[in-house]
Amino acid sequence: MAVRDILQMGDPRLLRVAAAVTDFQSRQLHDTVQDLKDTLQAVRGAGLAAPQIGVDLAVVLFGFESIARYPTAPAVPVTILVNPVIQPLSNEQFEDWEGCLSVPGLRGLVPRYARIRYTGFDPNGEVIDRVADGFHARVVQHECDHLIGRLYPTRMVDLTKLGYTRVLFPELTDPSAD
Ligand code: NI
């Protein structure tokens, strides 16, 4: 399929609530999955949601072995998650720095639930049911927010903790690490 353009903050398509997938056999679903894979690989990102490539479906892709953008992040299983539901397993939250391919060049300190259960389906309709914490939980919450029209700056509580990646993290020399 294809590497797609990633929509950037300000595009109203990033503010929609994504439509649930109802047909796991559909060509649109399987084309979207391939485009998400191709696009995320091309930009070496941690995750990508269908609305970011202009597709109005509740599908996200996340995961990596290691990643230059977040050099201290532990591995996260590479996962396509369809129609996800997130359930916090406690009220505990933790803050860490996030970036977003739709908000290039910036990082912000974002509170997220520390431990979650997430459920949904893989692209073949098989159930996914996992417990996650730490960076894994953060990535899932970030990507699933894209399905309800939320970008991470709208989750921040202190906008003084929003800045340019090159200023905040000059050691991230990978030019794509924005
Ligand atoms: Ni994002």
Side-chain angles (χ1 to χ4, degrees):
M1 288 301 294
V3 174
R4 303 274 295 266
D5 288 339
I6 297 175
L7 306 185
Q8 296 189 349
M9 184 168 63
D11 191 306
R13 289 172 289 178
L14 290 170
L15 302 178
R16 298 185 294 198
V17 176
V21 171
T22 55
D23 178 5
F24 283 87
Q25 310 297 327
S26 80
R27 183 65 186 261
Q28 185 195 20
L29 172 60
H30 293 278
D31 287 353
T32 297
V33 166
Q34 193 59 52
D35 286 355
L36 286 171
K37 289 178 177 173
D38 293 345
T39 305
L40 190 63
Q41 183 172 38
V43 298
R44 289 176 285 171
L48 189 63
Q52 292 179 276
I53 57 169
V55 175
D56 183 25
L57 281 179
V59 182
V60 300
L61 164 63
F62 56 83
F64 48 82
E65 269 297 314
S66 66
I67 186 164
R69 290 171 191 274
Y70 302 98
T72 63
V76 172
V78 176
T79 304
I80 294 276
L81 186 60
V82 177
N83 296 348
V85 175
I86 293 176
Q87 173 189 2
L89 293 179
S90 79
N91 288 326
E92 182 193 348
Q93 299 203 355
F94 73 117
E95 289 189 317
D96 203 353
W97 295 93
E98 294 186 15
C100 180
L101 297 167
S102 294
V103 190
L106 296 172
R107 293 282 171 101
L109 196 63
V110 184
R112 298 287 186 185
Y113 289 109
R115 188 170 163 81
I116 62 170
R117 178 184 180 194
Y118 65 94
T119 57
F121 302 89
D122 77 7
N124 299 313
E126 299 293 322
V127 171
I128 292 173
D129 185 344
R130 292 181 185 154
V131 169
D133 59 14
F135 196 82
H136 183 177
R138 175 171 298 277
V139 168
V140 173
Q141 289 170 84
H142 176 116
E143 295 311 325
C144 292
D145 261 359
H146 281 295
L147 304 181
I148 56 170
R150 297 292 298 263
L151 299 173
Y152 78 77
T154 74
R155 294 293 190 190
M156 293 180 64
V157 294
D158 179 359
L159 286 173
T160 71
K161 303 298 187 188
L162 179 68
Y164 290 100
T165 310
R166 68 175 190 278
V167 178
L168 289 164
F169 300 102
E171 71 279 12
L172 292 180
T173 53
D174 183 333
S176 74
D178 57 8

